[in-house]
Amino acid sequence: MQVIDNGRALSGKQQRIAERRGQIIAAARICFRRHGFHGAGMAEIASLSQLSVGQIYRYFVNKEAIIEEIVHRIVKHRIQLMLDNGNELSRMADDLTNDGLLDGADADINQGLMLEIAAEATRNPRVARILCEADAMLYRQGCEMLQRVYPQMSADRAAVLAEMMAVLCEGTALRVLTHQQKTDRAQLYQLYMRIFTTVFPSGPADG
Amino acid sequence: MQVIDNGRALSGKQQRIAERRGQIIAAARICFRRHGFHGAGMAEIASLSQLSVGQIYRYFVNKEAIIEEIVHRIVKHRIQLMLDNGNELSRMADDLTNDGLLDGADADINQGLMLEIAAEATRNPRVARILCEADAMLYRQGCEMLQRVYPQMSADRAAVLAEMMAVLCEGTALRVLTHQQKTDRAQLYQLYMRIFTTVFPSGPADG
């Protein structure tokens, strides 16, 4: 079986490395979700990924490197979904209203992991750096997409709108946890549409 | 010294209980911040609060009860700040732009604790319940405040606006962690003011 990564065909050796890393990431996601970043030990991650602890250290130098890869994959996925969405206003309002957001099937797990990692970032500068770099990547892609969709938009304006969208997406994702309020979803959708049509230029994005 | 709690003078015994609970909460906040909810043990909380583990269990039946009290105090503080703010639009836009938000001096610590607790809520239903109840209280007070400030506003409309404000506040608080983007703050302020003047009735709130 040939594995394709980023459009390139991988050699046999690269393929084995990619598979091993995938196994470790899958196991680590489960362990971090179960016990938090501190509670999850390399021994358990090794056992779940059916590798030895020594083998794991061949692929990731420490737990932070595993976190970095987890965050990187989540953000890559979110960028893809954001680009698919193409700043279509009604789709963004729908996502915000229905807690759909940017994560698809793994939304709950990814959101739990990102919270775990954000909590760790408040006390661990290396994890904070990982989170900052990932956010900068997502943010830059958001700005670039806005300028593609609205060619007249200035870079400053795109930056401010990207920041507002990031705030709305992350706030909504956080509130999914406690979201038992009796907010009328149709009215919330209307409110977001009102906001978007006010602050985004009317133009090619919303057909 | 007489301690006043919620406007009531406390008896000597109640006063001692309030002091002990305060000591334990202060110690637990430090421990949870240092090691996360799982890493923080009752022994360390006891040692930091200069009490025995047995004494702690007289005031809190378990770690969840300590979390409940921490969340309760943070939310009480946030409700007070929200009520002080009185839905003055320019003040809200300023808070969102300058990451001021609702927490004053302890903002970073409270935000870190709330992230920790939110991460724990994704795997611990008792903690999820604590967070939901606290959020419901904050949300209800937000709705009531809006209806006091805008007497013509329907309950449904107040609920939707309270939800939007909660999303903006929580999203902004979460993004403080990674907030190194070069967003122009003056433009972000203008954007939030544009949103608020569009969705809030023009009326008594903004003088």
Side-chain angles (χ1 to χ4, degrees), chain B residues 65-182:
Chain B
I66 298 180
I67 284 197
E68 184 159 19
E69 183 63 21
I70 289 176
V71 170
H72 186 77
R73 289 178 185 209
I74 292 175
V75 165
K76 213 169 129 186
H77 181 57
R78 288 186 179 176
I79 288 173
Q80 192 53 53
L81 290 162
M82 178 179 75
L83 296 178
D84 290 350
N85 168 325
N87 216 59
E88 195 188 313
L89 305 188
S90 55
R91 200 160 153 188
M92 296 189 311
D94 194 54
D95 278 353
L96 289 176
T97 309
N98 294 303
D99 306 334
L101 285 172
L102 297 171
D103 264 335
D106 285 334
D108 285 356
I109 297 166
N110 285 348
Q111 175 58 11
L113 282 167
M114 289 303 269
L115 276 176
E116 198 67 63
I117 293 167
E120 180 63 18
T122 65
R123 61 181 159 248
N124 181 334
R126 284 179 298 179
V127 174
R129 185 189 52 74
I130 291 168
L131 219 50
C132 283
E133 285 171 3
D135 185 65
M137 189 162 66
L138 185 56
Y139 184 77
R140 197 171 53 243
Q141 297 265 351
C143 293
E144 285 172 13
M145 185 195 69
L146 284 173
Q147 290 197 280
R148 269 198 308 279
V149 174
Y150 306 106
Q152 311 299 325
M153 189 180 279
S154 71
D156 271 8
R157 182 70 182 168
V160 168
L161 288 170
E163 181 61 28
M164 177 202 74
M165 285 309 300
V167 167
L168 287 174
C169 288
E170 294 186 25
T172 301
L174 192 51
R175 286 188 62 71
V176 171
L177 276 176
T178 51
H179 203 32
Q180 304 187 319
Q181 316 309 343
K182 297 286 175 287

Side-chain angles (χ1 to χ4, degrees), chain A residues 136-178:
Chain A
M137 188 163 67
L138 186 56
Y139 184 76
R140 196 170 54 245
Q141 297 265 353
C143 294
E144 285 172 14
M145 184 195 69
L146 284 173
Q147 289 196 281
R148 269 198 307 280
V149 174
Y150 306 104
Q152 312 299 326
M153 188 180 281
S154 73
D156 271 8
R157 182 69 182 168
V160 168
L161 288 171
E163 181 61 29
M164 177 201 74
M165 284 311 298
V167 166
L168 287 174
C169 287
E170 294 187 25
T172 301
L174 192 51
R175 286 188 62 70
V176 170
L177 276 176
T178 50

